[in-house]
Amino acid sequence: MWRIIGKRLFGAGTIPAAFTPLESLVSSNGVIFASYNRAGEIKTGTVGT
């Protein structure tokens, strides 16, 4: 039996933040390169009401 142990993408204590796209490029074989700027705190709300 195999046991898969996951790893966190972000470490403990990471502060959530919003981002806005700065620039992007799609290569001829479909790879997407993108740069983002921090845009402050995350805006939360309710969807579908």
Side-chain angles (χ1 to χ4, degrees):
M1 174 184 261
W2 292 92
R3 183 173 180 204
I4 300 172
I5 299 173
K7 292 189 177 185
R8 290 184 173 269
L9 181 59
F10 301 103
T14 302
I15 300 170
F19 291 88
T20 56
L22 180 62
E23 62 181 311
S24 63
L25 169 77
V26 180
S27 71
S28 61
N29 59 352
V31 177
I32 300 171
F33 298 92
S35 298
Y36 298 87
N37 278 338
R38 282 189 97 146
E41 295 183 16
I42 295 176
K43 297 176 186 172
T44 60
T46 304
V47 177
T49 57

